[in-house]
Amino acid sequence: MGQEINSRGQRRKMREQQKKQKKPMKVWLKRLLIAVVSIGIVLFIAGAATFAYYAATSPDLDEELLKDPVSSQFYDSDGKVFYTMGLEKREHVAYEDIPKEMRDAILATEDVRFFSHHGIDFYRLGGAVLANLRKGFGAQGASTLTQQVIKNSFLQNEKTIKRKAQEAYLSIQLEREYSKEEIFEMYFNKVLMSGRIYGYGTASKYFYGKDLKNLKLEEMALLAGMSQLPNAYNPFKYPENAEKRRNTVLALMYKHKKITKEQMDKAKSVKVEVGLLPENKRKTASTSKYDAFIDVVLKELAENGDGKSLEEGIKVYTTLDSSAQKIVETTMNSDIFPTKDIKSGMAVVDTETGAIAAIGGGRNYGPERGLNYAEAIKNQPGSTMKPIMDYGPAIENLKYSTGQTITDDKMFYTGSTKQINNVDRLYKGDITLREALYTSRNVPAVKLLKEVGTDKAKKFISNLGVEADEIYESDAIGGGKISLSPIEMAGAYAAFGNNGIYTKPHSIKKIVYRDGKTAKSYTPDPTPAMNDYTAYMVTDMLRDVVGSKYDAPGTAAAIPGLDIAGKTGTTNYGADEFQKYNLPESSVPDSWFAGYSSKYSISVWSGYTNRKDPITTTDERLLPQRLFKTVMSQISANTTTPNFKKPNSVVEAKIVKGSKPLQLASSSTPADRTATELFVKGTIPTNTAPVEKEVEELIAPTDLKATFDDEANAINLTWAHKPPKDKSVNFEVSVSVDGGGNQKLTQTSDKAYTYGTPQDGKTYVFSIVAVADNERSAPASTSIQIQAAPPDEDEVTPPDETEQPEVPVTPEKPTEGENGGNQNGNNNPDNGSPPEDNNEAIRPDEDEDEEDVDTNATDDDTRNDNNNNQQ
């Protein structure tokens, strides 16, 4: 019994001890709770005080600023204002004139509880806070339409506590002083829609050519979605983006029960292009100067998240060279264009800094009236890709000399029976890298890419701002998956002229926000893209493209007295396109020229809006070169342009052409077999060619004469030649028309040739080269200009009657373009079949029948253009 009592007593003591142990824990919990509450009160008071301070320092509500857009100013490179944005004429629409469906579309997208909150949507704010806690401050906004009106009227676009506090305070004040309808009307008329278009009413007229009341549901939804990213959702320029955004708006309208599912599905099924004004009926949104350049600036702002900042009034300091821009625009609107409808885009970039000096967006360019061909189009680059993809990487990674021997012979794409052809369907055998590049042979280009490897080539082009998920062998000749704009091309070529340093092309130096103090730099940092020896050696080879060497394709771009380098390029149609569009054999879709001096890098593209409209003539092909020459010569006229300077890492040596491995020329090596080439320092060959016995040199033709036979309408050529002993000689006849590149006409054993149907007013330069075995003589040249015959005295041509062009004489053997493409026949000379598809890259692990591949991916050399005058 006593033992049981003791047990109960012990249990009682244990319980008392446990209570004593629990008591301190409760005390600490109570103290912690008090501390947390105290801290919360302190923070609340501090937050309230901060909010009160920010509210007290908020700007006053200004009715004029509430109703009109705030202006943003654009400055050129000299710090002068050349454009003020926000002054454009716009359609003001009263609230009662806004269609209900238009209001529903905007509210469902931007602020569905607009008519129930008092300036701040706390429900939406809570969701934004949770998102910001998960992803960081500023990850998601919760601005109502009222807050957007305040921000766009008085505050700058920054995600700070101060701006948010002032925005909230002013929004509440705005709701007290104005009705919901008045606030909605403010937003409706001042929001930036696209480019330089403010307000939904203006956008309705601009994009659809009609009043708001006449818009269809899908058209209203498109406009309602544009204000989020004004330039990215422009349906004229980015229809795919616009259609996705429109469908999102329609889905939100259905979600919030503004429309039925049937209405949503019907509106979604309409293509976004339906109802949009055609290009020829679009009106310019403003009459500002330098519209093409401004469009590039607006796009750059949008890409950097500052597109909406334009609504708040900012200062944009650009890279615009006003004098260069005037020259570009004058040239783009001149009569230099050979046809009425051919298009062209041009970018002028500072070689050293990457700053965009001028933009040629197109002929008679107007803001948002059509594509800006300098930045919006991205096409296959043709042979302009070869220095970037093949020759640059080969010198950079393999330290090849410009005299490195490479064999131009029969070759197939890896894992395929697709043969890689050169323009002339012939192979030159062993040639130097220099000759392979400036004559733009296809086989050597593909061989170089294979020797370097696609991984190293991919890294090299990435350093020049050219991104590619994967590289194929057809990319070596510019006929693969990679497409570029003139701005990107000019930026990449600038690195060759800047000792291998690349700076991304940019149109903005910095922007300054409304407070006048906060600034954001847009100037990118320069980065080393390649060694200086690579840049100079590629540049030196590209000098020959615009030089005086036989077969140089870029002579129309040459500027006497100015040290420039450059590369021509054209692309091809596929076999199916030739058949589908019934195209002439000489057709190509694109023509390029990219060239640079030590001060400027200029890239020019030309072509037609519709791919089915081809480039067919020499004048069309030469247009990029002529545009380049006109602009480069004028912008360089009043400035000093230093020559390209050879770095210490590059040395010269005279080598034996075609030697394997390379040998230095000896004193007895014949001159026609030697060349002075460039080497990376420390890589000059140590072997010298053995002394050779003197051999008889193949001399050039002499006494070359060209006479015009008026009755036969033909040019008769005659010449003389002293042949070497025991050798038969043939003569290669070529012609250049009006400064274009040389195009081969024939090879004959005769010492006479007749060139049929020359055109009045054109100048023809004929070259004759003697060929014996593997030797070629220097060319003999002569020129003749065909003058138009005066009309008979008794024959009068009525003023409204124009002469019909002569039907061209079909050549007996078609001539072809530089890069294995179709100039006057990208076809098999034997069977006359159309050229093969050049727009798809072939993958080594695929069967060629699964993907029709470019065998002549680019067609560059205008010297071999189809000449309708050729016999």
Side-chain angles (χ1 to χ4, degrees):
M1 185 73 177
Q3 185 177 3
E4 182 179 349
I5 292 172
N6 290 338
S7 297
R8 289 178 179 174
Q10 290 173 352
R11 287 197 296 271
R12 186 168 56 253
K13 288 180 180 180
M14 290 175 64
R15 285 196 295 270
E16 289 175 355
Q17 289 176 352
Q18 289 174 352
K19 288 180 180 179
K20 290 179 180 179
Q21 291 174 353
K22 290 180 179 179
K23 186 175 182 180
M25 186 173 292
K26 289 182 178 180
V27 171
W28 281 109
L29 287 174
K30 184 177 180 180
R31 291 175 179 173
L32 180 62
L33 180 61
I34 293 172
V36 169
V37 172
S38 300
I39 292 172
I41 293 173
V42 171
L43 290 176
F44 176 78
I45 294 173
T50 302
F51 181 85
Y53 171 75
Y54 287 151
T57 57
S58 297
D60 296 330
L61 293 179
D62 185 322
E63 185 171 355
E64 185 177 342
L65 291 176
L66 285 169
K67 294 185 176 181
D68 294 327
V70 181
S71 299
S72 292
Q73 292 181 314
F74 291 67
Y75 296 80
D76 64 17
S77 58
D78 293 327
K80 297 178 180 178
V81 176
F82 68 91
Y83 172 58
T84 300
M85 184 175 178
L87 304 179
E88 289 82 3
K89 181 181 177 182
R90 60 195 184 282
E91 299 282 336
H92 185 90
V93 183
Y95 179 82
E96 55 269 20
D97 295 328
I98 303 173
K100 182 179 182 301
E101 280 186 323
M102 185 81 249
R103 296 199 301 267
D104 289 342
I106 294 172
L107 293 175
T109 307
E110 297 291 335
D111 189 359
V112 71
R113 283 175 288 277
F114 174 72
F115 282 95
S116 60
H117 62 64
H118 298 286
I120 302 173
D121 188 345
F122 290 100
Y123 179 84
R124 186 176 178 186
L125 180 62
V129 169
L130 292 176
N132 291 335
L133 289 174
R134 291 194 304 267
K135 301 178 182 179
F137 180 72
Q140 180 178 317
S143 296
T144 62
L145 289 187
T146 309
Q147 288 174 283
Q148 290 186 53
V149 170
I150 290 296
K151 177 172 66 72
N152 295 342
S153 301
F154 307 107
L155 305 174
Q156 64 188 51
N157 188 22
E158 55 178 353
K159 293 181 178 180
T160 63
I161 295 175
K162 176 181 178 181
R163 199 268 284 172
K164 284 294 184 182
Q166 291 182 339
E167 181 183 290
Y169 170 75
L170 291 174
S171 296
I172 295 172
Q173 294 298 109
L174 184 65
E175 293 268 355
R176 289 177 178 176
E177 296 189 24
Y178 294 88
S179 68
K180 287 286 187 180
E181 291 76 11
E182 288 175 313
I183 295 171
F184 188 90
E185 184 179 316
M186 292 174 189
Y187 172 82
F188 191 84
N189 289 295
K190 79 177 298 173
V191 66
L192 178 64
M193 295 297 292
S194 181
R196 287 160 265 182
I197 300 170
Y198 289 92
Y200 289 93
T202 310
S204 176
K205 288 283 183 69
Y206 180 72
F207 289 106
Y208 293 105
K210 51 189 176 183
D211 294 327
L212 288 164
K213 64 182 180 181
N214 298 321
L215 291 178
K216 298 178 181 178
L217 173 61
E218 61 270 14
E219 296 169 343
M220 294 182 184
L222 186 144
L223 295 180
M226 286 181 64
S227 61
Q228 184 188 59
L229 293 173
N231 290 304
Y233 295 138
N234 183 325
F236 288 162
K237 296 185 176 182
Y238 310 106
E240 292 182 3
N241 292 347
E243 185 166 323
K244 289 179 182 178
R245 179 63 179 164
R246 180 202 67 181
N247 292 345
T248 298
V249 173
L250 290 168
L252 289 169
M253 293 181 72
Y254 170 66
K255 176 183 176 181
H256 296 298
K257 299 180 181 179
K258 304 295 183 183
I259 58 174
T260 65
K261 188 175 187 303
E262 290 73 20
Q263 287 177 304
M264 177 186 70
D265 292 339
K266 182 180 178 181
K268 280 186 175 183
S269 68
V270 179
K271 289 292 183 182
V272 74
E273 294 85 358
V274 175
L276 291 174
L277 280 177
E279 185 172 345
N280 61 356
K281 292 186 178 180
R282 299 172 194 170
K283 297 180 180 179
T284 58
S286 73
T287 56
S288 63
K289 298 186 295 183
Y290 318 140
D291 291 321
F293 187 90
I294 292 172
D295 278 355
V296 173
V297 172
L298 295 178
K299 182 180 180 183
E300 192 170 334
L301 285 169
E303 290 173 345
N304 284 273
D306 289 308
K308 297 286 284 184
S309 297
L310 292 165
E311 298 176 344
E312 305 149 18
I314 59 175
K315 294 180 178 180
V316 185
Y317 291 87
T318 76
T319 60
L320 175 71
D321 183 331
S322 298
S323 61
Q325 184 67 34
K326 289 176 183 176
I327 291 170
V328 169
E329 291 186 1
T330 300
T331 304
M332 297 295 287
N333 298 329
S334 69
D335 58 2
I336 195 173
F337 289 82
T339 67
K340 181 181 70 173
D341 297 323
I342 194 168
K343 309 295 183 185
S344 196
M346 174 188 294
V348 181
V349 171
D350 187 293
T351 303
E352 184 176 354
T353 67
I356 300 174
I359 289 293
R363 303 172 67 181
N364 303 306
Y365 184 80
E368 305 200 34
R369 189 161 53 203
L371 285 177
N372 187 325
Y373 291 104
E375 56 90 12
I377 63 110
K378 286 195 174 186
N379 290 339
Q380 286 181 327
S383 286
T384 53
M385 197 65 183
K386 290 177 180 177
I388 300 171
M389 180 67 74
D390 314 317
Y391 292 86
I395 296 173
E396 179 75 8
N397 293 283
L398 305 177
K399 293 188 177 180
Y400 277 172
S401 161
T402 59
Q404 174 75 24
T405 298
I406 190 164
T407 304
D408 179 20
D409 59 1
K410 190 174 183 179
M411 182 183 178
F412 298 88
Y413 284 107
T414 301
S416 168
T417 58
K418 287 286 185 182
Q419 186 172 339
I420 302 168
N421 292 315
N422 293 306
V423 56
D424 49 12
R425 301 278 173 164
L426 302 174
Y427 302 101
K428 287 191 172 184
D430 291 338
I431 56 176
T432 63
L433 250 61
R434 181 184 297 276
E435 183 179 357
L437 176 56
Y438 91 77
T439 59
S440 208
R441 309 296 287 177
N442 280 344
V443 171
V446 179
K447 282 188 174 182
L448 284 177
L449 177 60
K450 293 183 68 175
E451 289 177 23
V452 171
T454 55
D455 289 341
K456 290 181 179 178
K458 183 177 180 180
K459 180 181 179 182
F460 187 89
I461 65 172
S462 177
N463 291 341
L464 297 174
V466 181
E467 299 299 332
D469 294 331
E470 195 169 351
I471 292 175
Y472 305 107
E473 289 177 4
S474 55
D475 284 308
I477 48 181
K481 298 293 186 181
I482 298 174
S483 297
L484 297 175
S485 70
I487 291 178
E488 292 170 322
M489 183 71 76
Y493 269 68
F496 290 118
N498 191 33
N499 301 312
I501 304 300
Y502 171 79
T503 305
K504 183 179 179 181
H506 56 285
S507 61
I508 304 173
K509 296 177 181 178
K510 67 176 181 178
I511 61 174
V512 177
Y513 295 98
R514 186 184 302 174
D515 61 5
K517 299 176 182 178
T518 309
K520 178 179 179 181
S521 175
Y522 269 62
T523 304
D525 294 327
T527 58
M530 67 191 87
N531 283 294
D532 57 0
Y533 58 76
T534 302
Y536 183 79
M537 290 166 70
V538 170
T539 295
D540 193 59
M541 291 190 289
L542 293 181
R543 281 167 162 163
D544 289 341
V545 175
V546 295
S548 58
K549 288 190 175 182
Y550 179 75
D551 253 11
T555 54
I559 303 171
L562 190 64
D563 192 8
I564 58 174
K567 188 70 184 75
T568 53
T570 56
T571 60
N572 285 342
Y573 286 107
D576 57 333
E577 292 177 301
F578 272 92
Q579 185 174 4
K580 179 181 178 181
Y581 302 136
N582 191 28
L583 300 174
E585 292 180 348
S586 61
S587 301
V588 297
D590 309 285
S591 182
W592 286 85
F593 185 79
Y596 55 97
S597 68
S598 60
K599 289 191 70 72
Y600 296 105
S601 177
I602 301 178
S603 177
V604 188
W605 166 88
S606 291
Y608 287 89
T609 303
N610 294 322
R611 188 171 174 84
K612 65 181 181 180
D613 297 327
I615 291 173
T616 58
T617 67
T618 299
D619 284 340
E620 290 169 293
R621 291 173 187 266
L622 289 177
L623 178 59
Q625 294 186 50
R626 290 169 176 165
L627 288 169
F628 169 89
K629 180 175 182 176
T630 301
V631 171
M632 179 66 91
S633 59
Q634 292 185 41
I635 64 177
S636 303
N638 297 319
T639 184
T640 301
T641 303
N643 290 347
F644 299 112
K645 185 178 179 181
K646 184 174 68 174
N648 293 331
S649 58
V650 176
V651 293
E652 294 181 355
K654 185 175 288 188
I655 55 99
V656 179
K657 291 190 294 186
S659 55
K660 290 184 179 180
L662 274 184
Q663 292 180 323
L664 296 176
S666 68
S667 58
S668 64
T669 306
D672 63 337
R673 290 176 52 199
T674 67
T676 300
E677 298 292 355
L678 303 178
F679 291 81
V680 179
K681 191 174 183 179
T683 64
I684 292 180
T686 56
N687 295 332
T688 301
V691 176
E692 299 183 21
K693 294 181 179 180
E694 187 174 348
V695 294
E696 187 177 3
E697 183 180 354
L698 184 62
I699 64 173
T702 59
D703 199 24
L704 174 59
K705 296 179 181 178
T707 57
F708 178 63
D709 185 339
D710 189 35
E711 291 185 4
N713 190 24
I715 299 173
N716 294 320
L717 300 175
T718 59
W719 62 90
H721 184 256
K722 181 181 179 182
K725 296 178 181 178
D726 303 325
K727 286 187 179 180
S728 60
V729 178
N730 287 323
F731 301 97
E732 186 178 284
V733 183
S734 302
V735 67
S736 169
V737 183
D738 280 352
N742 279 317
Q743 56 187 38
K744 182 179 176 181
L745 298 175
T746 189
Q747 186 162 309
T748 177
S749 59
D750 297 331
K751 297 174 185 175
Y753 178 77
T754 298
Y755 182 90
T757 62
Q759 291 186 353
D760 290 343
K762 291 188 177 293
T763 300
Y764 296 84
V765 179
F766 294 94
S767 298
I768 313 295
V769 175
V771 180
D773 297 335
N774 292 325
E775 296 181 69
R776 296 171 62 88
S777 74
S781 300
T782 188
S783 65
I784 183 171
Q785 184 176 22
I786 307 303
Q787 300 293 342
D792 292 339
E793 292 184 0
D794 353 347
E795 183 179 345
V796 179
T797 303
D800 58 344
E801 181 180 332
T802 58
E803 294 183 1
Q804 296 299 318
E806 296 183 19
V807 178
V809 177
T810 304
E812 296 177 2
K813 180 178 179 181
T815 56
E816 297 168 301
E818 173 185 352
N819 293 316
N822 186 327
Q823 297 275 21
N824 186 20
N826 178 25
N827 56 322
N828 187 320
D830 297 325
N831 57 26
S833 62
E836 296 172 308
D837 186 3
N838 69 329
N839 296 322
E840 293 294 333
I842 187 163
R843 300 170 176 82
D845 57 347
E846 292 183 347
D847 186 271
E848 67 166 318
D849 293 332
E850 295 181 6
E851 187 171 9
D852 196 8
V853 183
D854 168 330
T855 62
N856 315 302
T858 58
D859 181 3
D860 174 344
D861 186 357
T862 57
R863 66 185 181 277
N864 289 320
D865 285 338
N866 179 39
N867 187 330
N868 287 337
N869 308 317
Q870 180 179 322
Q871 183 174 2

